[in-house]
């Protein structure tokens, strides 16, 4: 860069050079008379460091959802503050709970793994001067598998039915529970299903009755669905009693 002092009387002996990016510079001075003739340059000055300014705000463009993830993409700030951008940071805030941040490096997209729920996110750029202002925000909803329901009781009856009760998942995975499925198994692990299981068509009904189960000991579980993903409870043992005959005297 360069600058020119005034040509009046007295002649100025200083001026400011603008538009420099961050870095280290030296300067020299030449003098010009009315002829006009210009002198040889002076000796170079001592080194002068020009500090960077903070970068501007990126523009957050898209939020692409995966299974328990979101990939955010943005465009770089219009101003890097006079120094190269070396890092970006994604800041996320859930509707419920505590937010956080993830540093992504000098790239313009980043994938973040989150638990289910509703979020907003922004992104910041960093150079040698520090972190610049946050971008615009985007809102999105992460859906993961709900936590498992818990079977609270399973009661077998002589008519071959099994009445099952359970509690709802403590975490719905970011979407409302849409229903449950109850199955009756021949073993605590593996095995095969028996009889006709049962199901509910909503998330508020926490009981149903399976049927068609012969006398014996079985194991029941309950699967919860939030419309996208499922989770299954631990199996609970249940005994279906023998049908008792009645003798007429």
């Amino acid at each position: 860069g360069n600058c020119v002092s005034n040509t009046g009387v007295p002649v100025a002996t200083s001026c400011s050079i603008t538009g420099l990016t961050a870095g280290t510079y030296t300067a020299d001075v030449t003098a010009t008379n009315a002829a006009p003739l210009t002198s040889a340059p002076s000796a170079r000055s001592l080194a002068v460091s020009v500090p960077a300014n903070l970068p501007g705000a990126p523009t957050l463009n898209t939020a692409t959802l995966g299974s328990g993830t979101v990939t955010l993409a943005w465009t770089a700030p219009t101003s890097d503050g006079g120094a190269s951008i070396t890092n970006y940071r994604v800041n996320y805030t859930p509707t419920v709970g505590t937010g956080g941040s993830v540093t992504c490096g000098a790239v313009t997209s980043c994938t973040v793994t989150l638990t289910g729920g509703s979020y907003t996110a922004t992104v910041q750029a960093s150079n040698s001067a520090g972190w610049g202002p946050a971008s615009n925000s985007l809102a999105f909803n992460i859906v993961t598998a709900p936590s498992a329901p818990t079977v609270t009781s399973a009661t077998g009856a002589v008519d071959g039915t099994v009445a099952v009760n359970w509690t709802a998942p403590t975490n719905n995975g970011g979407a409302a529970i849409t229903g449950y499925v109850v199955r009756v198994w021949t073993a605590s692990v593996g095995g095969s299903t028996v009889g006709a299981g049962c199901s509910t068509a909503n998330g508020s009904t926490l009981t149903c009755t399976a049927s068609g189960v012969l006398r014996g000991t079985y194991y029941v579980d309950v699967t919860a669905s939030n419309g996208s993903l499922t989770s299954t409870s631990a199996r609970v043992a249940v005994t279906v009693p023998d049908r008792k005959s009645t003798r007429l005297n």
Side-chain angles (χ1 to χ4, degrees):
N2 62 77
C3 61
V4 179
S5 67
N6 67 43
T7 56
V9 178
V11 176
T13 56
S14 67
C15 68
S16 297
I17 300 173
T18 61
L20 298 176
T21 58
T24 301
Y25 299 87
T26 59
D28 59 29
V29 180
T30 59
T32 302
N33 61 19
L37 296 172
T38 301
S39 71
S42 69
R44 292 287 178 92
S45 69
L46 296 175
V48 176
S49 294
V50 176
N53 293 312
L54 293 175
T59 300
L60 189 52
N61 297 319
T62 59
T64 304
L65 300 178
S67 179
T69 67
V70 61
T71 299
L72 299 164
W74 57 88
T75 52
T78 55
S79 171
D80 63 8
S84 297
I85 291 174
T86 56
N87 211 345
Y88 288 95
R89 179 170 66 194
V90 169
N91 307 298
Y92 56 87
T93 303
T95 301
V96 178
T98 302
S101 62
V102 175
T103 53
C104 304
V107 295
T108 54
S109 69
C110 193
T111 298
V112 182
T113 300
L114 297 169
T115 57
S118 298
Y119 294 82
T120 57
T122 61
V123 64
Q124 294 172 269
S126 174
N127 63 12
S128 57
W131 291 102
S135 70
N136 58 300
S137 66
L138 287 181
F140 52 90
N141 189 58
I142 294 287
V143 177
T144 60
S147 59
T150 300
V151 176
T152 56
S153 67
T155 305
V158 295
D159 61 357
T161 60
V162 177
V164 183
N165 296 275
W166 62 90
T167 57
T170 56
N171 184 337
N172 65 11
I177 300 298
T178 56
Y180 298 91
V181 174
V182 171
R183 295 172 297 182
V184 182
W185 296 86
T186 58
S188 60
V189 177
S192 58
T193 58
V194 296
C198 58
S199 62
T200 71
N202 58 68
S204 59
T205 301
L206 302 176
T207 183
C208 73
T209 300
S211 60
V213 183
L214 300 177
R215 176 179 62 88
T217 298
Y218 300 93
Y219 301 85
V220 298
D221 63 21
V222 180
T223 297
S225 172
N226 61 11
S228 298
L229 298 166
T230 62
S231 66
T232 301
S233 72
R235 295 183 187 179
V236 171
V238 60
T239 297
V240 175
D242 193 7
R243 296 174 183 268
K244 296 180 179 179
S245 60
T246 302
R247 175 181 296 179
L248 297 177
N249 293 322

